[in-house]
Amino acid sequence: MKIAALIIVLLSKSVEGQLKWERLDRGIGDAPSPRRDMGFGYDAVRDRLVLFGGKPGPLQDTWIYEFSTGKWRMVTVSSRPPARFSMVSGVSGDFFYIATGEGKNKEFFSDIWRFDLRLEVWEEIPTQSRPDFYSQVEWQARNTTWIGPEPRYGAAGGIYANGGEQLYVALGFSTVRYHNTYSYDTRQLRWHLEYCRDCNSYNPSYPHARCLHAGTMIDKDEMVIFGGCLGGGGSGGPCPAGDSWLFNGKSKYWKRLPDCASPRMYGVMANLPSAVNRRRVVLYGGLDKSDQVIRTNEIKDDQVAVYDPDSNSWSVRKTLPFNSSIPVPSWRASVGMATGKNGIYMFGGINKMTKNPMNDLWVLRGDVTDADKSEQLECTKYFMNYITVHGILMAIGWGFFLQWGAFIARYLKCKNPIWFYLHVTFQIFGLCCAIAGLVMGILSVPFGHVKFVHSIVGIVVMILGVLQPINALIRPHKTQPDESKTFRRRLWECVHHFGGRAGLILALVNISLGVFLAVTDQLIWSLWFGYLCAIVLVYILAESIRGLIGRSRNCKGEKGTKQPKHMLDGYDNDNYKHDIYVNTTSESVHL
């Protein structure tokens, strides 16, 4: 008995100071219906939870969970926001705020409402909308500090739980994906543009446009976001993504954070209760697979990712059940999460396996110290999607084989006949890689395939690439040295030469754009742009040498090089003036 008691004590000690899941309500009886993507917040003054809307529906009901009674109750109101889901929400003082979201028939919102937690009534609050008698230009000239967010859903943000007064709305989607970030001052009742009036998808200094990402405020003017869907909606990129960013509202600066957690969309973030002036943020849930994903680390039910703002680092931690008879919650996405006194409260969401919405209520008990003591797991190592394969194939095809195949044809023609065989081999293999890369690129974009610069330039490049071998098959015969070129020959050379060169130059530009669009590591940027600089330097050097020594000097004295006439005919891509000879059994035949 003493040994058994000792074992129990040791086991209990081993799990002390760790993050633990406890179920508070099973969602049976008088409780909100199963749902996802709802507005959710914690009222610290009255120690209760507040919930609004969500889907399926969309819904527009309001619920409160009283910790004093351990029960839900629906609030009856005369006025309420239009039904919606995937909104930004948060609690500040005596008010619960919601903004943006998607309603019925794909209606997107840019309004903002607040729920008075004392009187339990809703009211729509001003957003400084433009009066009808002002044009947009005139109104912006009169109100330079105001610009409201475009209607959208799938944005991230909220209000900092410990005294925050700014409701942040970052990125999101309607008919296009947005880059911009706004804040709503709950005292002055006005919007402010925090970042990015004219952003684009190819600047690596701030987050790529996205929606369905996780995000939360970690201070009054600091926000962290993670992942989401970057492809489609007039943009390209991974979907799901695994990059995370920190925004500082005071300096108006985004900082890219190190990667660790598995890429996902529909994830949710919330702060753990602080301890000894330290902060930790929990990233929970989400969908880690899509039609774009080839391979990924499957996220386990008992795993959460933890962000440490003090060191700007991520880690993956293991959670435990609070009660051994009730396991940790099944993995889910689009949950409601809010920071409470003893941990993080979580409601509902959609089950990852069954895709069914849920309405159970949990708390992840613990604080900063407990998070640091929880078992640390490995960061994500195995992730592959079609964008990665697309980029590799295009870099091999257009970035290597087609580039150097063209280089051989322009500068090494005197090396008969090996230049021709190398040129053809490089071009065929490079074009095959490029075509396979095109297929991967099409698969990597959820919708709106030709609505952004990278895809448009890519289509142009591929058309130019495919036309080259077709053009070679219909080339007119090369004229003899004592004959003038026909119009057909001149036209063919113009199309073949300049079409090929334009394709090669545009390909290098487009690969460079793709490096940023794919949200790759800085190491990949360094490798690609280092290689690009090398290509440019080699071409400059080769062209300089060619200009200094002349086009024909290299090949003088090489008469008699054996090469099939039918292979040489028509492949003088640079219109060399040198003589080419082919040995026959009886004499040297001048071509």
Side-chain angles (χ1 to χ4, degrees):
M1 292 294 293
K2 292 182 178 180
I3 295 176
L6 179 61
I7 292 174
I8 293 174
V9 171
L10 291 175
L11 288 174
S12 64
K13 290 292 185 182
S14 66
V15 297
E16 283 184 358
Q18 298 191 54
L19 298 175
K20 304 184 187 73
W21 286 105
E22 180 185 4
R23 189 170 63 193
L24 302 178
D25 187 87
R26 297 176 62 187
I28 299 175
D30 191 13
S33 60
R35 66 189 70 195
R36 57 181 291 188
D37 298 311
M38 71 294 295
F40 193 65
Y42 173 69
D43 178 5
V45 177
R46 283 154 282 274
D47 190 29
R48 57 185 183 176
L49 298 170
V50 58
L51 178 152
F52 173 79
K55 74 173 185 179
L59 304 167
Q60 61 178 152
D61 48 351
T62 305
W63 291 80
I64 287 177
Y65 183 84
E66 301 280 3
F67 285 101
S68 59
T69 62
K71 293 181 180 180
W72 286 101
R73 63 179 176 87
M74 187 168 68
V75 180
T76 302
V77 292
S78 58
S79 175
R80 54 185 172 177
R84 68 187 70 193
F85 63 91
S86 195
M87 66 211 84
V88 175
S89 61
V91 174
S92 177
D94 293 320
F95 295 98
F96 170 63
Y97 294 86
I98 66 164
T100 68
E102 180 179 349
K104 297 179 180 179
N105 302 319
K106 291 191 176 297
E107 179 185 6
F108 301 102
F109 297 103
S110 61
D111 56 351
I112 181 166
W113 291 70
R114 68 183 180 185
F115 180 71
D116 192 319
L117 296 165
R118 301 161 300 182
L119 304 177
E120 297 187 1
V121 295
W122 281 101
E123 65 171 331
E124 184 176 6
I125 51 179
T127 57
Q128 286 190 289
S129 299
R130 174 172 58 90
D132 294 337
F133 48 83
Y134 281 120
S135 70
Q136 185 70 30
V137 174
E138 291 172 334
W139 182 245
Q140 289 185 1
R142 294 174 62 90
N143 298 271
T144 56
T145 60
W146 171 85
I147 180 170
E150 303 86 343
R152 66 187 70 191
Y153 89 113
I159 304 177
Y160 183 56
N162 297 327
E165 295 174 330
Q166 305 285 338
L167 174 71
Y168 275 73
V169 174
L171 314 179
F173 174 78
S174 57
T175 56
V176 297
R177 304 209 186 283
Y178 296 107
H179 298 87
N180 46 33
T181 299
Y182 298 87
S183 69
Y184 184 83
D185 192 317
T186 60
R187 297 168 301 170
Q188 300 179 3
L189 303 183
R190 63 189 302 147
W191 286 103
H192 296 275
L193 176 64
E194 293 290 336
Y195 195 85
C196 213
R197 187 184 297 272
D198 299 306
C199 286
N200 62 74
S201 299
Y202 306 99
N203 191 327
S205 63
Y206 47 77
H208 187 61
R210 69 191 68 203
C211 67
L212 309 177
H213 46 296
T216 191
M217 303 300 297
I218 63 173
D219 208 332
K220 294 180 180 180
D221 293 295
E222 279 190 310
M223 173 177 56
V224 62
I225 66 171
F226 181 92
C229 182
L230 282 61
S235 181
C239 182
D243 57 325
S244 57
W245 296 79
L246 177 68
F247 178 70
N248 188 304
K250 294 180 179 179
S251 61
K252 312 298 182 187
Y253 175 74
W254 282 100
K255 179 179 181 179
R256 175 79 184 269
L257 303 175
D259 295 337
C260 178
S262 295
R264 69 194 75 186
M265 50 189 175
Y266 297 106
V268 182
M269 282 184 185
N271 294 277
L272 284 167
S274 60
V276 198
N277 295 322
R278 293 184 298 149
R279 300 173 294 169
R280 298 292 184 271
V281 181
V282 167
L283 167 65
Y284 174 79
L287 300 181
D288 53 1
K289 294 182 180 179
S290 71
D291 293 338
Q292 190 188 97
V293 176
I294 299 174
R295 183 180 68 174
T296 187
N297 282 38
E298 186 174 357
I299 308 171
K300 306 299 182 182
D301 291 350
D302 60 356
Q303 291 180 4
V304 296
V306 176
Y307 170 62
D308 178 358
D310 301 324
S311 62
N312 277 333
S313 62
W314 283 94
S315 62
V316 178
R317 302 285 177 168
K318 184 175 182 178
T319 62
L320 300 171
F322 185 81
N323 187 331
S324 60
S325 63
I326 302 176
V328 300
S330 57
W331 190 257
R332 57 192 75 189
S334 297
V335 303
M337 292 190 79
T339 303
K341 295 179 179 179
N342 301 312
I344 297 174
Y345 297 106
M346 181 190 75
F347 175 82
I350 181 173
N351 186 281
K352 179 182 176 181
M353 302 302 297
T354 66
K355 308 302 180 185
N356 294 324
M358 295 172 285
N359 65 340
D360 47 350
L361 177 65
W362 296 76
V363 60
L364 180 62
R365 294 196 177 276
D367 57 16
V368 171
T369 303
D370 298 321
D372 292 345
K373 290 182 178 180
S374 297
E375 180 183 350
Q376 185 169 349
L377 307 174
E378 287 187 343
C379 292
T380 299
K381 289 184 176 180
Y382 307 106
F383 181 79
M384 180 70 68
N385 58 11
Y386 287 124
I387 284 184
T388 304
V389 179
H390 164 73
I392 292 172
L393 288 171
M394 287 302 186
I396 293 173
W398 280 106
F400 183 81
F401 281 101
L402 290 170
Q403 292 291 336
W404 295 113
F407 183 90
I408 290 169
R410 180 168 178 80
Y411 300 108
L412 301 178
K413 273 191 172 180
C414 58
K415 306 297 182 181
N416 292 322
I418 190 172
W419 78 266
F420 178 77
Y421 295 115
L422 284 175
H423 171 69
V424 172
T425 301
F426 273 44
Q427 301 308 90
I428 291 176
F429 188 78
L431 191 58
C432 288
C433 288
I435 292 173
L438 175 64
V439 175
M440 296 295 104
I442 293 172
L443 293 174
S444 72
V445 181
F447 60 93
H449 290 76
V450 192
K451 292 186 177 180
F452 52 102
V453 175
H454 178 73
S455 65
I456 296 172
V457 175
I459 294 298
V460 173
V461 168
M462 287 305 302
I463 291 174
L464 292 173
V466 172
L467 285 177
Q468 287 300 93
I470 297 175
N471 193 30
L473 291 175
I474 62 173
R475 69 190 183 278
H477 289 293
K478 184 180 179 182
T479 56
Q480 299 299 322
D482 57 343
E483 297 177 344
S484 60
K485 289 185 180 180
T486 64
F487 174 77
R488 287 185 60 197
R489 178 70 186 193
R490 292 179 184 277
L491 179 62
W492 178 85
E493 288 183 352
C494 180
V495 173
H496 192 67
H497 296 171
F498 291 102
R501 291 166 188 169
L504 292 171
I505 294 172
L506 286 175
L508 293 176
V509 172
N510 213 35
I511 293 173
S512 301
L513 294 177
V515 169
F516 295 123
L517 203 63
V519 196
T520 56
D521 293 333
Q522 191 170 358
L523 175 62
I524 303 299
W525 303 348
S526 301
L527 291 175
W528 167 250
F529 285 105
Y531 174 71
L532 180 61
C533 291
I535 290 178
V536 173
L537 290 175
V538 169
Y539 267 106
I540 292 174
L541 180 62
E543 196 66 24
S544 300
I545 294 174
R546 187 169 181 259
L548 289 173
I549 67 177
R551 295 184 177 185
S552 60
R553 188 175 301 175
N554 282 359
C555 298
K556 284 186 176 181
E558 294 194 9
K559 297 178 181 181
T561 302
K562 189 173 182 180
Q563 184 169 348
K565 180 178 179 180
H566 71 280
M567 290 187 177
L568 282 171
D569 184 29
Y571 274 88
D572 190 8
N573 289 338
D574 294 293
N575 195 22
Y576 279 40
K577 301 299 183 183
H578 60 268
D579 296 333
I580 301 177
Y581 292 81
V582 174
N583 280 350
T584 65
T585 54
S586 58
E587 59 182 346
S588 296
V589 180
H590 184 272
L591 298 181

